Amino acid sequence: MKINGARAIVEILHKEKVTTIFGIPGGVVIPLFDAFYEDKKINIVITKHEQGAIHAADGYARSSGKPGVCLVTSGPGATNIVTGLATAYMDSIPIVALTGQVPTANIGNDAFQEADTTGITRPVTKHNFIVKNPNDLPLIMKNAFYIATTGRTGPVLVDIPKDITTAEIEFEYPEKVKIPGYNPTLKGNIRQIKRVMETIKNARRPLIYAGGGIIASGASEELKKFVKITGIPVTLTLMGLGAFPGTEPEFLGMLGMHGTKTANYAVSRCDLLIAIGSRFDDRITGKLSMFAPHAKFIHIDIDPASIGKNVIIDVPVVGDARHILHEMAGYAEPLNINKWFEEIEGWKKEHPLTYSNDDDILRPQYVVEQIYKVTGGDAIITTEVGQNQMWTAQFYKFTKPRQLITSGGLGTMGYGLPAAIGAQIAHPDATVIDIAGDGSIQMNIQEMATISQHELPINIAILNNGYLGMVRQWQEFFFDKRYSATCLKRVQRCPKICNNPGENCPPFVPDFVKLAEAYSAIGLRIEKKSDVEGALIEAVKTKKPVLMDFIVNPEENVTPMVPAGAPINKMISSKEDAQNFLLA
Amino acid sequence: MEREYTIALLVVNESGVLAHIAGLFSGRGFNIRELSVGETENPEYSRMTIVVKGDDQIVEQIKKQLNKFIDVIKVNDLTNIPSVHREIILIKVKTSANRRQEIFQIAEVFKGKIVDISHDSLTLEVTGITEKIEALIAILKPYGIQEIARTGRVSISRGISHIGGIGNG
Ligand SMILES: Cc1ncc(C[n+]2csc(CCOP(=O)(O)OP(=O)(O)O)c2C)c(N)n1
Ligand SMILES: [Mg+2]
């Protein structure tokens, strides 16, 4: 079949079963978008900013497990997706990003809207390609989808010069990929798996520390089965939440900087730490030399480079978590670890996650708890970054994988709203809520228009504290309450030095309720605790997008907190704790 | 512990690959001390020899990251494997006609070749391991070295073992 490159790309996307692409057109991709004009199978979602497009593709991928696809123009279109690529790369999310490029003859000439896209994106993609010969296009696309979705998944970019899309090629989509330097290990070495089981048998205080790898490999059922046989307690990273039900007795909560005391004490006390699909990130380990000081380490990961990167591993296993956990379950027996469990139960009783809830003050934690209640724990939740993200992680009990969609590794403010678009498109009948901060939401607020135009019933719950709250919290704890550059209400006439928000503060700009209305959405402002539940019930019921502006206690903190660089069992909850910590 | 590593890589012979690999080192604050690249018997692949100095654990990590690169076919750490290493140096020395004879003698000892001569200078080509090259430089220094060009070493393991290439993946 002889067709041009643009048509070939449409055919390829059909073959890869892509049903939605996110993007924005521009000069060099006009032929490409033209090829979609009459196509009935692919839904094109035109966002308002390319960052919105790539985060939407990312949210689509995280919530469905299928690769997200975005298509943008050269130059500024391509540079606008860089943050989204980095976000996906840090969290190992499969995306195929297609960028237009100036015609091959002009490359390197500083042509109009030319950028060295493959050069710029190389450190933030799993791999990238530039198509130089139109006949290479099918194989490159095949390879791109394969690389994005196998092994440690990740974003792959294909840069496509304009003349490639207009050239006629003899189109045939290859059956097989051809990538000599790529052969991810899936099956775990059976000898190593036996060593793992032997090590587990000899442990008295074993603990599973699992992460996003469980979700990426679809290993939740296998993990649950393994835990139910052995009785080993589980803590999860932010990226892992939902990989094991947050409602089960074996679950200790999230670990790390804003983890539960139970989880962090358990890590500090365990004699065997079984890391599965997690990577010993510094937000997890705190002071590395004092991380799990009594433990042997087992590390199961698909990425050999992840193993032994931060800590020395006693028993490494390279491979896919689902396969390995399945094998492990075959050898598993109930363990005699009742005493360990009692110790853990003691911590759980003594140190539950709490906040003051005995007054009339509207607190963000309360809002998250109510969202959990009203949605029956069944919603897809996206978050922005900062306190809103941590309160969501702490107070919404995620029970299923792909239920929490959040930027973990890069911590990208502005991620949650466009990600919600992708999640809602992948799950048209689900309740999708972006739990947002008043700062972050403004970074991609323009996507409200995309939401309205596509009639997506997305709900937005802004935990409006008037601050870049997470940064303000650090200032309160570690910088003597010097609120430099974190107040979002500040106007020119405010006193230079101010750290006490109050009645006299200027109004928050913008007025989110009016803004929602401007975007053809419903806007609600909620200032009283007693109004929270009602607003949420209404929002979830209506089929229109609803933005809820929850005016919450401005100086609420996320606790417990491990100060950066401290051992993770040294948790603080207040400015006073922080001072004692700094003095010690 | 800091020490010198010699790593041989088989990579896809395409633009951007070298930049990618260099980025891995520079991104971790590593200075590549020696680097040589050339096509292999299979024109689709190039072979690189990279010499870096670093901490065991960091170099181990770099090797894993290199292995992960899709354009890297194979990583072979020659540091602890019996291997042959060779480097070429071209070295231009100031000489007046009456001292040329001395340099000729030095060249002979080092099994070198005179590849260029002018009124007041002379260029020597020597092949060998790093120590030999360093020794040559030290000896010629008093004469006044004008310019040096070194290739960086190329290295290959001894015996039958190989890094792979045509027909042997
Ligand atoms: C793009 C980007 N810029 C800056 C930061 C640094 N940062 C982390 S949290 C935060 C505050 C976020 O404020 P808000 O969205 O209101 O959330 P809150 O913490 O108040 O819930 C900032 C500025 C970031 N994570 N991402
Ligand atoms: Mg805020």
Side-chain angles (χ1 to χ4, degrees), chain B residues 34-98:
Chain B
E34 296 176 34
L35 167 69
S36 66
V37 193
E39 213 170 85
T40 64
E41 72 280 18
N42 177 350
E44 284 182 24
Y45 298 152
S46 306
R47 179 175 170 123
M48 295 186 185
T49 309
I50 296 178
V51 178
V52 284
K53 202 163 185 184
D55 184 77
D56 283 3
Q57 219 198 325
I58 300 174
V59 175
E60 206 48 47
Q61 176 60 210
I62 287 190
K63 280 180 349 200
K64 283 180 176 173
Q65 296 287 353
L66 284 169
N67 254 316
K68 236 171 99 170
F69 280 0
I70 284 148
D71 287 328
V72 173
I73 312 294
K74 200 140 188 197
V75 180
N76 204 355
D77 183 355
L78 298 176
T79 313
N80 296 321
I81 300 177
S83 311
V84 183
H85 307 276
R86 286 295 178 275
E87 183 179 0
I88 297 178
I89 185 171
L90 297 175
I91 183 163
K92 193 181 286 181
V93 191
K94 264 219 297 265
T95 40
S96 48
N98 56 356

Coordinates of all heavy atoms in Angstrom, one line a residue, chain B residues 34-98:
Chain B
E34 N 39.8 9.4 28.7 CA 40.2 9.0 27.4 C 39.0 8.5 26.7 O 38.2 7.8 27.3 CB 41.3 7.9 27.5 CG 42.6 8.3 28.1 CD 43.6 7.2 28.2 OE1 43.6 6.3 27.4 OE2 44.3 7.1 29.2
L35 N 38.9 8.7 25.4 CA 37.8 8.2 24.6 C 38.3 8.0 23.2 O 38.9 8.8 22.6 CB 36.7 9.3 24.6 CG 35.5 9.1 23.6 CD1 34.7 7.9 24.0 CD2 34.7 10.3 23.6
S36 N 38.0 6.8 22.7 CA 38.3 6.5 21.3 C 37.1 5.8 20.7 O 36.5 5.0 21.4 CB 39.6 5.7 21.1 OG 39.4 4.5 21.7
V37 N 36.8 6.2 19.5 CA 35.6 5.6 18.8 C 36.0 5.2 17.4 O 36.8 5.9 16.7 CB 34.5 6.6 18.7 CG1 33.2 6.0 18.3 CG2 34.3 7.4 19.9
G38 N 35.5 4.1 17.0 CA 35.7 3.7 15.6 C 34.7 2.7 15.1 O 34.1 2.0 16.0
E39 N 34.5 2.6 13.8 CA 33.6 1.6 13.3 C 34.1 0.2 13.5 O 35.3 0.0 13.6 CB 33.4 1.9 11.8 CG 32.1 1.6 11.3 CD 31.9 2.2 9.8 OE1 32.3 1.4 8.9 OE2 31.4 3.3 9.7
T40 N 33.2 -0.8 13.6 CA 33.7 -2.1 13.8 C 33.6 -2.8 12.4 O 33.3 -2.2 11.4 CB 32.7 -2.9 14.8 OG1 31.4 -3.0 14.2 CG2 32.7 -2.2 16.1
E41 N 33.8 -4.2 12.5 CA 33.7 -5.0 11.2 C 32.3 -4.9 10.7 O 32.1 -5.1 9.5 CB 34.1 -6.4 11.5 CG 33.2 -7.3 12.3 CD 33.2 -7.0 13.8 OE1 33.8 -6.0 14.2 OE2 32.7 -7.9 14.6
N42 N 31.3 -4.6 11.5 CA 29.9 -4.4 11.1 C 29.7 -2.9 11.1 O 29.7 -2.2 12.2 CB 29.0 -5.1 12.1 CG 27.6 -4.9 11.7 OD1 27.2 -4.0 10.9 ND2 26.7 -5.6 12.4
P43 N 29.5 -2.3 9.9 CA 29.3 -0.8 9.9 C 28.1 -0.3 10.7 O 28.1 0.9 10.9 CB 29.2 -0.5 8.4 CG 28.8 -1.8 7.7 CD 29.4 -2.9 8.6
E44 N 27.2 -1.1 11.1 CA 26.1 -0.6 11.9 C 26.5 -0.3 13.3 O 25.8 0.3 14.1 CB 25.0 -1.7 11.9 CG 24.2 -1.7 10.6 CD 23.1 -2.8 10.7 OE1 22.6 -3.1 11.8 OE2 22.7 -3.2 9.6
Y45 N 27.7 -0.9 13.7 CA 28.1 -0.7 15.1 C 29.4 0.0 15.2 O 30.3 -0.1 14.3 CB 28.3 -2.0 15.8 CG 27.0 -2.9 15.9 CD1 27.1 -4.3 16.0 CD2 25.8 -2.3 16.0 CE1 25.9 -5.0 16.1 CE2 24.6 -3.0 16.1 CZ 24.7 -4.4 16.1 OH 23.6 -5.2 16.2
S46 N 29.6 0.8 16.3 CA 30.9 1.4 16.6 C 31.4 0.8 17.9 O 30.6 0.3 18.7 CB 30.9 2.9 16.7 OG 30.3 3.5 15.7
R47 N 32.7 0.9 18.1 CA 33.2 0.5 19.3 C 33.9 1.7 20.0 O 34.6 2.4 19.4 CB 34.3 -0.6 19.1 CG 34.9 -1.1 20.4 CD 35.8 -2.3 20.2 NE 36.5 -2.6 21.4 CZ 36.5 -3.8 22.0 NH1 35.8 -4.7 21.5 NH2 37.2 -3.9 23.1
M48 N 33.7 1.8 21.3 CA 34.3 2.9 22.0 C 35.1 2.3 23.1 O 34.8 1.2 23.7 CB 33.2 3.7 22.8 CG 32.3 4.4 21.8 SD 31.3 5.5 22.9 CE 30.2 6.1 21.6
T49 N 36.2 2.9 23.4 CA 37.0 2.6 24.6 C 36.9 3.9 25.5 O 37.3 5.0 25.0 CB 38.4 2.2 24.3 OG1 38.4 1.2 23.3 CG2 39.1 1.7 25.6
I50 N 36.4 3.7 26.7 CA 36.3 4.9 27.6 C 37.2 4.6 28.8 O 37.1 3.6 29.4 CB 34.9 5.1 28.0 CG1 34.0 5.5 26.8 CG2 34.7 6.2 29.0 CD1 32.6 5.7 27.0
V51 N 38.0 5.6 29.2 CA 38.7 5.5 30.5 C 38.2 6.6 31.4 O 38.2 7.8 31.1 CB 40.2 5.6 30.2 CG1 41.0 5.6 31.5 CG2 40.7 4.6 29.3
V52 N 37.8 6.1 32.6 CA 37.4 7.1 33.6 C 38.0 6.7 34.9 O 38.4 5.6 35.2 CB 35.8 7.0 33.9 CG1 35.1 7.7 32.8 CG2 35.3 5.6 34.1
K53 N 38.1 7.7 35.8 CA 38.6 7.5 37.1 C 37.4 7.7 38.1 O 36.7 8.6 37.9 CB 39.7 8.5 37.5 CG 40.6 8.0 38.6 CD 41.9 8.8 38.6 CE 42.8 8.2 39.6 NZ 44.0 9.0 39.7
G54 N 37.2 6.8 39.0 CA 36.1 6.9 39.9 C 36.0 5.9 41.0 O 36.8 5.0 41.0
D55 N 35.0 6.1 41.7 CA 34.7 5.2 42.9 C 34.0 3.9 42.4 O 33.2 4.0 41.4 CB 33.7 6.0 43.7 CG 33.3 5.3 45.0 OD1 34.2 5.4 45.9 OD2 32.2 4.8 45.0
D56 N 34.4 2.8 42.9 CA 33.8 1.5 42.5 C 32.3 1.5 42.3 O 31.8 1.1 41.3 CB 34.1 0.4 43.5 CG 35.5 0.0 43.5 OD1 36.3 0.5 42.7 OD2 35.9 -1.0 44.2
Q57 N 31.6 2.0 43.3 CA 30.2 1.9 43.3 C 29.6 2.8 42.2 O 28.6 2.4 41.6 CB 29.6 2.3 44.7 CG 28.4 1.5 45.1 CD 27.6 2.1 46.2 OE1 28.2 2.8 47.0 NE2 26.3 1.9 46.1
I58 N 30.2 4.0 42.0 CA 29.6 4.9 41.0 C 29.9 4.3 39.6 O 29.0 4.4 38.7 CB 30.2 6.3 41.2 CG1 29.9 6.8 42.6 CG2 29.7 7.2 40.1 CD1 30.5 8.1 42.9
V59 N 31.1 3.7 39.4 CA 31.4 3.2 38.1 C 30.5 2.0 37.8 O 30.0 1.8 36.7 CB 32.9 2.8 38.0 CG1 33.1 2.1 36.7 CG2 33.7 4.0 38.1
E60 N 30.2 1.2 38.9 CA 29.3 0.1 38.7 C 27.9 0.6 38.3 O 27.3 0.1 37.4 CB 29.1 -0.6 40.1 CG 28.7 -2.0 40.1 CD 29.6 -2.9 39.1 OE1 30.8 -2.8 39.1 OE2 28.9 -3.6 38.4
Q61 N 27.5 1.7 38.9 CA 26.2 2.3 38.5 C 26.2 2.8 37.1 O 25.3 2.6 36.3 CB 25.9 3.4 39.5 CG 24.6 4.2 39.2 CD 23.3 3.4 39.2 OE1 22.4 3.8 38.5 NE2 23.3 2.3 39.9
I62 N 27.3 3.4 36.7 CA 27.4 3.9 35.3 C 27.4 2.8 34.3 O 26.7 2.9 33.3 CB 28.7 4.7 35.1 CG1 28.6 6.1 35.8 CG2 29.1 4.9 33.7 CD1 29.7 7.1 35.6
K63 N 28.0 1.7 34.7 CA 28.0 0.5 33.8 C 26.5 0.0 33.6 O 26.1 -0.3 32.5 CB 28.9 -0.6 34.3 CG 30.3 -0.3 33.9 CD 31.4 -1.3 34.4 CE 31.0 -2.4 35.3 NZ 32.1 -3.0 36.1
K64 N 25.8 0.0 34.7 CA 24.4 -0.5 34.6 C 23.6 0.5 33.7 O 22.8 0.1 32.9 CB 23.8 -0.6 36.0 CG 24.2 -1.8 36.8 CD 23.6 -1.8 38.1 CE 23.9 -3.0 39.0 NZ 23.3 -2.8 40.3
Q65 N 23.8 1.8 33.9 CA 23.1 2.8 33.1 C 23.4 2.6 31.7 O 22.6 2.8 30.8 CB 23.4 4.2 33.6 CG 22.9 4.5 35.0 CD 21.4 4.6 35.2 OE1 20.7 4.6 34.2 NE2 20.9 4.7 36.4
L66 N 24.7 2.4 31.4 CA 25.2 2.2 30.0 C 24.5 1.0 29.4 O 24.0 1.1 28.3 CB 26.7 2.0 29.9 CG 27.5 3.3 30.1 CD1 29.0 2.9 30.3 CD2 27.4 4.2 28.9
N67 N 24.4 -0.1 30.2 CA 23.7 -1.3 29.7 C 22.3 -1.0 29.3 O 21.7 -1.6 28.5 CB 23.8 -2.3 30.8 CG 24.8 -3.4 30.4 OD1 24.8 -3.9 29.2 ND2 25.6 -3.8 31.3
K68 N 21.7 0.0 30.1 CA 20.3 0.3 29.9 C 20.0 1.0 28.6 O 18.9 1.0 28.0 CB 19.8 1.1 31.1 CG 18.6 0.6 31.8 CD 18.4 1.3 33.1 CE 17.3 2.3 32.9 NZ 17.0 2.9 34.2
F69 N 21.0 1.8 28.2 CA 20.8 2.6 26.9 C 20.5 1.7 25.8 O 21.1 0.6 25.5 CB 22.1 3.3 26.6 CG 22.3 4.6 27.4 CD1 21.4 5.0 28.3 CD2 23.4 5.4 27.1 CE1 21.6 6.1 29.1 CE2 23.6 6.5 27.9 CZ 22.7 6.9 28.8
I70 N 19.5 2.1 25.0 CA 19.0 1.2 24.0 C 20.0 1.2 22.8 O 20.2 0.2 22.1 CB 17.6 1.7 23.6 CG1 16.7 1.1 24.7 CG2 17.2 1.1 22.2 CD1 15.5 1.9 25.0
D71 N 20.8 2.2 22.7 CA 21.8 2.3 21.6 C 23.1 1.6 22.0 O 24.1 1.5 21.2 CB 22.1 3.7 21.2 CG 21.0 4.3 20.4 OD1 20.3 3.5 19.7 OD2 20.7 5.5 20.5
V72 N 23.2 1.1 23.3 CA 24.4 0.4 23.7 C 24.1 -1.1 23.6 O 23.2 -1.6 24.2 CB 24.8 0.8 25.1 CG1 25.9 -0.1 25.6 CG2 25.2 2.2 25.2
I73 N 24.9 -1.8 22.7 CA 24.7 -3.2 22.5 C 25.4 -4.0 23.6 O 24.8 -4.9 24.1 CB 25.3 -3.6 21.1 CG1 24.9 -2.7 20.0 CG2 24.9 -5.1 20.8 CD1 23.4 -2.7 19.7
K74 N 26.5 -3.6 24.0 CA 27.3 -4.3 25.0 C 28.2 -3.5 25.8 O 28.9 -2.6 25.2 CB 28.0 -5.5 24.3 CG 28.4 -6.6 25.2 CD 28.2 -7.9 24.5 CE 28.4 -9.0 25.6 NZ 28.7 -10.3 25.0
V75 N 28.4 -3.8 27.0 CA 29.3 -3.1 27.9 C 30.3 -4.1 28.4 O 29.9 -5.2 28.9 CB 28.6 -2.5 29.1 CG1 29.6 -1.7 30.0 CG2 27.5 -1.5 28.7
N76 N 31.6 -3.8 28.2 CA 32.6 -4.8 28.7 C 33.6 -4.0 29.5 O 34.3 -3.2 29.0 CB 33.3 -5.4 27.4 CG 33.9 -6.8 27.8 OD1 33.9 -7.2 28.9 ND2 34.4 -7.5 26.8
D77 N 33.7 -4.4 30.8 CA 34.6 -3.7 31.7 C 36.0 -4.5 31.6 O 36.1 -5.6 32.0 CB 34.1 -3.7 33.1 CG 35.0 -3.0 34.0 OD1 36.1 -2.6 33.6 OD2 34.6 -2.8 35.2
L78 N 37.0 -3.8 31.0 CA 38.3 -4.5 30.8 C 39.2 -4.3 32.0 O 40.3 -4.8 31.9 CB 38.9 -4.0 29.5 CG 38.1 -4.3 28.2 CD1 38.8 -3.6 27.0 CD2 37.9 -5.8 28.0
T79 N 38.8 -3.6 33.0 CA 39.7 -3.2 34.1 C 40.4 -4.4 34.7 O 41.5 -4.3 34.9 CB 38.9 -2.4 35.1 OG1 38.1 -1.4 34.5 CG2 39.8 -1.8 36.1
N80 N 39.6 -5.5 34.9 CA 40.2 -6.6 35.6 C 40.4 -7.8 34.7 O 40.6 -8.9 35.1 CB 39.3 -7.0 36.8 CG 39.2 -5.9 37.8 OD1 40.3 -5.2 38.1 ND2 38.1 -5.6 38.3
I81 N 40.2 -7.6 33.4 CA 40.4 -8.7 32.4 C 41.7 -8.5 31.7 O 42.0 -7.4 31.3 CB 39.2 -8.7 31.4 CG1 37.9 -8.8 32.1 CG2 39.4 -9.7 30.3 CD1 36.7 -8.7 31.1
P82 N 42.5 -9.6 31.6 CA 43.8 -9.5 30.8 C 43.5 -8.9 29.4 O 42.7 -9.4 28.7 CB 44.3 -10.9 30.7 CG 43.5 -11.7 31.7 CD 42.2 -11.0 32.0
S83 N 44.1 -7.7 29.2 CA 43.7 -7.0 27.9 C 45.0 -6.4 27.3 O 45.9 -6.1 28.0 CB 42.7 -5.9 28.2 OG 41.6 -6.4 29.0
V84 N 44.9 -6.1 26.1 CA 45.9 -5.3 25.4 C 45.4 -3.9 25.2 O 44.3 -3.7 24.8 CB 46.2 -5.9 24.0 CG1 47.3 -5.2 23.3 CG2 46.5 -7.4 24.1
H85 N 46.3 -2.9 25.6 CA 45.9 -1.5 25.5 C 47.0 -0.8 24.6 O 48.2 -1.1 24.7 CB 45.9 -0.8 26.8 CG 45.1 -1.5 27.9 ND1 43.8 -1.4 28.0 CD2 45.4 -2.4 28.8 CE1 43.3 -2.1 29.0 NE2 44.3 -2.8 29.5
R86 N 46.5 0.0 23.7 CA 47.5 0.8 22.8 C 47.0 2.2 22.6 O 45.8 2.4 22.5 CB 47.6 0.1 21.5 CG 48.4 -1.2 21.4 CD 49.9 -1.0 21.8 NE 50.6 -2.2 21.8 CZ 50.7 -3.0 22.8 NH1 50.1 -2.7 24.0 NH2 51.4 -4.2 22.7
E87 N 47.9 3.1 22.6 CA 47.6 4.5 22.4 C 48.6 5.0 21.4 O 49.8 4.6 21.4 CB 47.6 5.3 23.7 CG 47.2 6.7 23.5 CD 47.3 7.5 24.8 OE1 47.6 6.9 25.9 OE2 46.9 8.7 24.8
I88 N 48.2 5.9 20.6 CA 49.2 6.6 19.7 C 49.4 8.0 20.2 O 48.4 8.7 20.5 CB 48.7 6.6 18.2 CG1 48.6 5.2 17.7 CG2 49.7 7.4 17.3 CD1 48.1 5.1 16.3
I89 N 50.6 8.5 20.2 CA 50.9 9.9 20.4 C 51.7 10.5 19.3 O 52.5 9.8 18.7 CB 51.7 10.1 21.8 CG1 51.8 11.6 22.1 CG2 53.0 9.4 21.7 CD1 52.4 11.9 23.4
L90 N 51.3 11.7 18.9 CA 52.1 12.5 18.0 C 52.6 13.6 18.8 O 51.8 14.3 19.5 CB 51.2 13.0 16.8 CG 50.6 12.0 15.9 CD1 49.7 12.6 14.9 CD2 51.7 11.2 15.2
I91 N 53.9 13.8 18.8 CA 54.5 14.8 19.7 C 55.5 15.6 18.9 O 56.4 15.1 18.2 CB 55.1 14.1 20.9 CG1 55.7 15.1 21.9 CG2 56.2 13.1 20.5 CD1 55.9 14.5 23.3
K92 N 55.3 17.0 19.0 CA 56.1 17.9 18.2 C 57.1 18.5 19.2 O 56.7 19.1 20.2 CB 55.2 19.0 17.6 CG 55.9 19.8 16.5 CD 55.0 20.8 15.9 CE 54.0 20.2 15.0 NZ 53.1 21.3 14.4
V93 N 58.4 18.4 18.8 CA 59.4 18.9 19.7 C 60.3 20.0 19.0 O 60.5 19.8 17.8 CB 60.4 17.7 20.1 CG1 61.3 18.1 21.3 CG2 59.6 16.5 20.5
K94 N 60.7 21.0 19.8 CA 61.6 22.0 19.3 C 63.0 21.4 19.1 O 63.5 20.7 20.1 CB 61.7 23.1 20.3 CG 60.8 24.3 19.9 CD 61.4 25.6 20.2 CE 61.7 26.0 21.6 NZ 60.8 26.7 22.4
T95 N 63.6 21.5 18.0 CA 65.0 21.0 17.9 C 65.7 21.9 16.9 O 65.2 22.2 15.8 CB 65.1 19.6 17.3 OG1 64.1 19.5 16.3 CG2 64.9 18.6 18.4
S96 N 66.9 22.2 17.2 CA 67.8 22.8 16.2 C 68.5 21.6 15.6 O 68.5 20.5 16.1 CB 68.9 23.7 16.9 OG 69.4 22.9 18.0
A97 N 69.0 21.8 14.4 CA 69.6 20.8 13.6 C 70.7 20.0 14.4 O 70.7 18.7 14.3 CB 70.3 21.3 12.3
N98 N 71.4 20.6 15.3 CA 72.5 19.9 15.9 C 72.1 19.0 17.1 O 72.8 18.2 17.6 CB 73.6 20.9 16.5 CG 72.9 22.0 17.3 OD1 71.7 22.0 17.5 ND2 73.8 22.8 17.9

